[in-house]
Amino acid sequence: MNIIKMKDRQELDAKLPTMPWYIEQFINYKLPDLSPSSLVEYMRDYETFLHWLISEGLTEAANLKAVPLQDLETLKMESIDAYRMFLSTYKPERNNRTTISRKLSSLRSLFHYLSQIAEDDDFYPLLKRNVMAKVSIKRTHKPKDTAAKLEGKLLQEEEITEFLDYIKQGYGIEIAKNKQASYSYELNKIRDACIISFILHSGLRVSELVNLNTDDIDLKKKLCYVYRKGKNDDTFKTPVYFRSEAVEDLNHYLSLRETRYKCPRREKALFLAVANGNNEGSRMTKRAIQAMVIKYAKRFGKPYLSVHKLRHSFATDYYLQNDIYKTQEQLGHASPETTQIYAHLTDKTMAEAIDRRQQEGKLDD
């Protein structure tokens, strides 16, 4: 089974008993259609909301599980506006319109289910009044807007090679006087370069990368087999192409994977780390990979780089050489509309590339 989905299902099962009965009913209703990862996000959103209700005195419940359905029914619009304001200043979500919209959408889904789908024993809706039906949630993912935010924040052309060279050599030179950092770098630089190279030459999501096992890689065909986001079928992996530039880095890492990371026979994970206090390597986590990318990016002088922006860097370059449908398939997007951001990005990228080449005298006037 997908490792991340399995962990999310465990988290979901642990959280459900702490929730009110009507939220547990809603989650069970959604379980056949949504992945555990999506439902865990719902649960976290509901935790935030219920904690807020309690702290604001909008319910007399002493804990989350005790919040009665009637307290949702009597909420006023001014309370929802106050909650929206709370989210805009709440530290983890500060100034993040996308996160705020998602949390409000989660609430709207719950309220819609309770007022339009679920029924009591007398066939009446569980929720007689749905305040969330009045709440408008602005769409935050227009391709053109997303492309504008990404402009200047991706690796382009020779920068991809420069970044990989920096990870393989430049970073080590800069931290040479720091013994602890140097030890960690020498231990992990080949693995780290392989991971970043693989993202830049395949466009995988970090969740897809974390789930990779050694037998998911076909070096001859330059294919990896991944569980795609949003697909609930854990019996089928999707083949995804990676460029030949990643092969050398993969071979280099695989040649030392077992010995350097003290890999136990039972461990199939492709990318390993040895945690403090452990004698054997185990699967790297999403957080560890994200932190690793940020560490190198800051030193490289591009602090805005992240795993997802590496994926965008690949996608922009890939789109220049292919059409929108091939790019959509490579990235695993559910809709070509999501892929349209690269149409906007590549227009700018091509113009900048032509300007650079003219300045270098590589093109005739």
Side-chain angles (χ1 to χ4, degrees), residues 25-35 39 42 109 113 232:
Q25 184 174 316
F26 170 70
I27 295 296
N28 287 328
Y29 169 76
K30 285 288 189 180
L31 197 54
D33 301 318
L34 294 177
S35 70
L39 291 173
Y42 273 101
S109 295
Y113 166 77
N232 288 326

Short mmCIF file of all heavy atoms in Angstrom, two decimals, residues 25-35 39 42 109 113 232:
data_model
loop_
_atom_site.label_atom_id
_atom_site.label_comp_id
_atom_site.label_asym_id
_atom_site.label_seq_id
_atom_site.Cartn_x
_atom_site.Cartn_y
_atom_site.Cartn_z
N GLN A 25 -19.57 10.74 10.96
CA GLN A 25 -20.50 10.24 9.95
C GLN A 25 -20.16 10.80 8.57
O GLN A 25 -20.19 10.08 7.56
CB GLN A 25 -21.94 10.63 10.34
CG GLN A 25 -23.01 10.09 9.41
CD GLN A 25 -24.41 10.38 9.93
OE1 GLN A 25 -24.69 10.21 11.11
NE2 GLN A 25 -25.29 10.83 9.05
N PHE A 26 -19.82 12.09 8.53
CA PHE A 26 -19.45 12.72 7.26
C PHE A 26 -18.17 12.10 6.69
O PHE A 26 -18.10 11.81 5.49
CB PHE A 26 -19.24 14.22 7.48
CG PHE A 26 -18.63 14.93 6.31
CD1 PHE A 26 -19.34 15.12 5.13
CD2 PHE A 26 -17.32 15.42 6.36
CE1 PHE A 26 -18.77 15.78 4.04
CE2 PHE A 26 -16.76 16.08 5.29
CZ PHE A 26 -17.48 16.25 4.12
N ILE A 27 -17.16 11.87 7.52
CA ILE A 27 -15.90 11.29 7.07
C ILE A 27 -16.14 9.88 6.52
O ILE A 27 -15.60 9.51 5.46
CB ILE A 27 -14.86 11.26 8.21
CG1 ILE A 27 -14.47 12.68 8.62
CG2 ILE A 27 -13.62 10.46 7.79
CD1 ILE A 27 -13.78 13.50 7.56
N ASN A 28 -16.95 9.10 7.19
CA ASN A 28 -17.26 7.74 6.72
C ASN A 28 -18.03 7.78 5.39
O ASN A 28 -17.85 6.91 4.54
CB ASN A 28 -18.06 6.97 7.77
CG ASN A 28 -17.20 6.56 8.95
OD1 ASN A 28 -16.01 6.30 8.80
ND2 ASN A 28 -17.79 6.52 10.14
N TYR A 29 -18.85 8.81 5.22
CA TYR A 29 -19.58 8.99 3.97
C TYR A 29 -18.62 9.30 2.82
O TYR A 29 -18.80 8.83 1.68
CB TYR A 29 -20.59 10.12 4.14
CG TYR A 29 -21.24 10.60 2.86
CD1 TYR A 29 -22.25 9.85 2.24
CD2 TYR A 29 -20.86 11.81 2.28
CE1 TYR A 29 -22.84 10.29 1.07
CE2 TYR A 29 -21.46 12.26 1.12
CZ TYR A 29 -22.45 11.50 0.51
OH TYR A 29 -23.04 11.94 -0.66
N LYS A 30 -17.57 10.08 3.11
CA LYS A 30 -16.61 10.49 2.09
C LYS A 30 -15.51 9.44 1.83
O LYS A 30 -14.83 9.50 0.81
CB LYS A 30 -15.94 11.80 2.50
CG LYS A 30 -16.81 13.03 2.34
CD LYS A 30 -16.99 13.37 0.88
CE LYS A 30 -17.67 14.70 0.66
NZ LYS A 30 -17.84 14.99 -0.79
N LEU A 31 -15.34 8.52 2.75
CA LEU A 31 -14.21 7.60 2.68
C LEU A 31 -14.10 6.82 1.37
O LEU A 31 -12.98 6.66 0.85
CB LEU A 31 -14.28 6.62 3.86
CG LEU A 31 -13.01 5.84 4.20
CD1 LEU A 31 -11.82 6.79 4.41
CD2 LEU A 31 -13.22 4.99 5.44
N PRO A 32 -15.18 6.36 0.75
CA PRO A 32 -15.03 5.63 -0.51
C PRO A 32 -14.53 6.48 -1.68
O PRO A 32 -13.97 5.96 -2.64
CB PRO A 32 -16.45 5.10 -0.80
CG PRO A 32 -17.15 5.14 0.51
CD PRO A 32 -16.58 6.34 1.22
N ASP A 33 -14.75 7.81 -1.59
CA ASP A 33 -14.46 8.69 -2.73
C ASP A 33 -13.18 9.49 -2.59
O ASP A 33 -12.60 9.92 -3.59
CB ASP A 33 -15.62 9.66 -2.94
CG ASP A 33 -16.94 8.93 -3.20
OD1 ASP A 33 -16.92 7.95 -3.96
OD2 ASP A 33 -17.96 9.35 -2.64
N LEU A 34 -12.74 9.73 -1.36
CA LEU A 34 -11.56 10.56 -1.15
C LEU A 34 -10.45 9.74 -0.50
O LEU A 34 -10.71 8.80 0.25
CB LEU A 34 -11.88 11.76 -0.25
CG LEU A 34 -12.85 12.80 -0.83
CD1 LEU A 34 -13.12 13.89 0.20
CD2 LEU A 34 -12.30 13.42 -2.10
N SER A 35 -9.21 10.12 -0.79
CA SER A 35 -8.07 9.42 -0.21
C SER A 35 -7.94 9.75 1.27
O SER A 35 -8.40 10.81 1.73
CB SER A 35 -6.79 9.84 -0.93
OG SER A 35 -6.45 11.17 -0.61
N LEU A 39 -8.82 13.30 3.52
CA LEU A 39 -9.69 13.28 4.68
C LEU A 39 -8.97 13.73 5.95
O LEU A 39 -9.58 14.34 6.83
CB LEU A 39 -10.28 11.88 4.86
CG LEU A 39 -11.28 11.46 3.77
CD1 LEU A 39 -11.69 10.01 3.93
CD2 LEU A 39 -12.51 12.37 3.79
N TYR A 42 -9.23 17.38 5.92
CA TYR A 42 -10.55 17.77 6.41
C TYR A 42 -10.56 17.76 7.94
O TYR A 42 -11.04 18.71 8.58
CB TYR A 42 -11.62 16.78 5.91
CG TYR A 42 -12.21 17.09 4.57
CD1 TYR A 42 -11.80 16.43 3.42
CD2 TYR A 42 -13.24 18.03 4.44
CE1 TYR A 42 -12.37 16.70 2.18
CE2 TYR A 42 -13.82 18.30 3.20
CZ TYR A 42 -13.37 17.63 2.07
OH TYR A 42 -13.95 17.91 0.86
N SER A 109 -18.34 21.91 2.80
CA SER A 109 -18.65 20.52 2.44
C SER A 109 -19.37 19.81 3.58
O SER A 109 -20.33 19.07 3.36
CB SER A 109 -17.36 19.76 2.10
OG SER A 109 -16.76 20.29 0.95
N TYR A 113 -23.33 18.56 3.51
CA TYR A 113 -23.70 17.17 3.79
C TYR A 113 -24.77 17.11 4.88
O TYR A 113 -25.78 16.40 4.75
CB TYR A 113 -22.46 16.38 4.23
CG TYR A 113 -22.79 15.04 4.84
CD1 TYR A 113 -23.14 13.95 4.05
CD2 TYR A 113 -22.76 14.88 6.23
CE1 TYR A 113 -23.46 12.72 4.62
CE2 TYR A 113 -23.08 13.66 6.81
CZ TYR A 113 -23.42 12.58 6.00
OH TYR A 113 -23.74 11.37 6.58
N ASN A 232 -7.31 6.45 -5.76
CA ASN A 232 -7.51 5.62 -4.58
C ASN A 232 -7.14 4.16 -4.81
O ASN A 232 -7.15 3.36 -3.87
CB ASN A 232 -8.96 5.70 -4.12
CG ASN A 232 -9.28 7.05 -3.50
OD1 ASN A 232 -8.44 7.66 -2.87
ND2 ASN A 232 -10.49 7.53 -3.71
#
